[in-house]
Amino acid sequence: MRRLVLLVGAIVLVDTMFYAAITPLLPKLAGDLDLGKNGAGVLTGAYAAGALLGSLPAGWLIARTGVKPTVLVGLTLMSVSCLAFAFGATIAVLDGARFLQGVGGAFSWAGGMAWVAAEAPRERRGAMLGSAMGFAIFGVQLGPVVGAVARGVGQPVAFSSTVLFGLALGVWAWSTPAPPTGETLATPGEALRSRTMLAGMWLTALPAAAFGVLDVLAPLRLDALGASALALGLTFFAAAGVEAIVTPAIGRYTDRAGARAVVRVGLAVTVAALVVVQLPGTAAGLAIVVIAVSGLLGVLWVPAMALLTGGADRIGLDHGFAFAYFNLAWAAGFSLGAFAGGTVAEITTDAVAYTAVAALYAISALYALFGGRGLGGLVAERTELARS
């Protein structure tokens, strides 16, 4: 399991590293290509739009051919898309490259995470998935550094290096034994009738939407307050570092105590965090708040995955589709957050976009606390299932 988690962790690390490299590049690209906040939102959210399109095909491929071929397809698409981004000179090419990278990410993420879920003992599944997510978040941590380097040495040099990463990881994955495809008792559509899986999807989409807003507005605001490209890179490096520490710990806690307490506290605390992020008037103050808020937003990832895999076990659905729905929910949430958040902020103010997401968190927190057989009931149901 340790070697498998390391492999899958390396795959998602490289993917998220080049996905997050856009952060310090965004102000420069917005200036060079004459993008407004809505155009910056499209560029940022194009990856998520690609993941949205690729999610269910990735689940289908896992169910038909297994996790290994799906991972290899994802690595190939990642390498091709980053080459296009390296040499793209127009916004259409850059948007298209980010979109294709998102499709590849849907395949490599679903294949890799389903691989871990299939091999991990049930009582340690949360910890193993949390560890793999920790690698992914560390990739987000390294991404801004790659973006800052790209601003210095140029996009062609920085982004074309993905071919080497893709080749090395492809060889490693090819040589690693993978479990055979299992018998699927349920159809993907049945997941949409499972309240447990719907809860997992919502708890994935919600923080994704918040990250979509934050990843568009925070870099532009930091740049407007005078932060350098290096400062931008260091801010998001530290933010992802906090999240990378928190997520594996949340995975271990979820295995021991269940997801209910994590969900309730995570939802409630994040409401306050999304209000506070609007307040700082200096680059240093905003950087500190962004670091803290990013750690809080990541609290829900592992409980959401626990709900999805547990729900899939219960209805007899292949884990590939469980993580396809995770990708689908993440992509829908992030796309909406990036596109709508950037547009709303341009029409009104950044505060309106942040407040809208905070309101969704507040409603979800109240539903989790008082919803009975709603979200709170679903989490309790999943906890009892895990303990049995």
Side-chain angles (χ1 to χ4, degrees):
M1 276 306 303
R2 185 173 299 175
R3 292 185 65 183
L4 177 60
V5 169
L6 187 60
L7 167 62
V8 173
I11 290 169
V12 296
L13 183 152
V14 171
D15 180 73
T16 56
M17 181 171 66
F18 284 96
Y19 147 76
I22 191 71
T23 303
L25 288 172
L26 194 59
K28 182 178 185 299
L29 290 171
D32 292 346
L33 300 171
D34 194 26
L35 305 178
K37 287 183 180 178
N38 57 341
V42 170
L43 180 59
T44 303
Y47 175 99
L52 185 67
L53 180 68
S55 295
L56 291 181
W60 176 86
L61 188 62
I62 292 168
R64 291 294 300 271
T65 66
V67 291
K68 186 186 295 187
T70 308
V71 165
L72 293 174
V73 169
L75 290 171
T76 301
L77 292 175
M78 178 198 72
S79 300
V80 172
S81 65
C82 285
L83 269 180
F85 194 90
F87 296 99
T90 66
I91 188 59
V93 173
L94 297 180
D95 284 343
R98 291 273 295 174
F99 181 87
L100 183 62
Q101 187 191 1
V103 175
F107 279 76
S108 58
W109 269 77
M113 291 298 187
W115 200 339
V116 171
E119 298 280 15
R122 183 172 183 136
E123 66 276 8
R124 296 186 61 212
R125 186 182 290 166
M128 297 297 99
L129 292 172
S131 295
M133 278 295 294
F135 279 94
I137 296 164
F138 185 57
V140 175
Q141 187 178 14
L142 292 177
V145 178
V146 173
V149 170
R151 286 186 66 164
V153 303
Q155 286 176 216
V157 175
F159 282 85
S160 60
S161 64
T162 51
V163 176
L164 298 177
F165 286 114
L167 181 61
L169 290 171
V171 171
W172 188 1
W174 183 265
S175 62
T176 301
T181 55
E183 182 182 359
T184 300
L185 303 178
T187 64
E190 290 181 51
L192 302 179
R193 296 191 293 273
S194 166
R195 296 183 307 114
T196 305
M197 295 197 71
L198 288 174
M201 292 174 68
W202 176 249
L203 293 174
T204 303
L206 189 59
F211 271 118
V213 174
L214 189 71
D215 285 359
V216 172
L217 300 184
L220 297 176
R221 178 61 177 161
L222 284 166
D223 183 68
L225 291 172
S228 65
L230 178 60
L232 278 171
L234 289 175
T235 297
F236 285 89
F237 180 89
V242 171
E243 193 184 353
I245 293 170
V246 168
T247 301
I250 292 296
R252 291 189 293 271
Y253 183 78
T254 301
D255 283 336
R256 292 196 306 270
R260 188 174 191 174
V262 176
V263 169
R264 287 179 168 179
V265 174
L267 288 170
V269 173
T270 307
V271 175
L274 288 168
V275 172
V276 171
V277 78
Q278 309 167 29
L279 303 180
T282 65
L286 180 57
I288 292 170
V289 172
V290 167
I291 291 168
V293 171
S294 295
L296 291 172
L297 292 180
V299 165
L300 296 180
W301 297 131
V302 175
M305 287 190 288
L307 285 162
L308 285 166
T309 55
D313 286 339
R314 190 170 188 179
I315 66 175
L317 185 67
D318 189 281
H319 282 157
F321 280 111
F323 288 100
Y325 279 117
F326 178 87
N327 284 333
L328 189 71
W330 176 88
F334 191 91
S335 298
L336 181 63
F339 297 157
T343 301
V344 168
E346 183 158 341
I347 295 172
T348 57
T349 64
D350 290 5
V352 174
Y354 285 123
T355 300
V357 181
L360 291 176
Y361 266 88
I363 294 169
S364 300
L366 291 172
Y367 194 38
L369 189 60
F370 301 113
R373 289 187 59 80
L375 186 58
L378 289 172
V379 174
E381 177 184 309
R382 172 65 187 98
T383 300
E384 294 304 315
L385 177 63
R387 287 175 176 171
S388 66

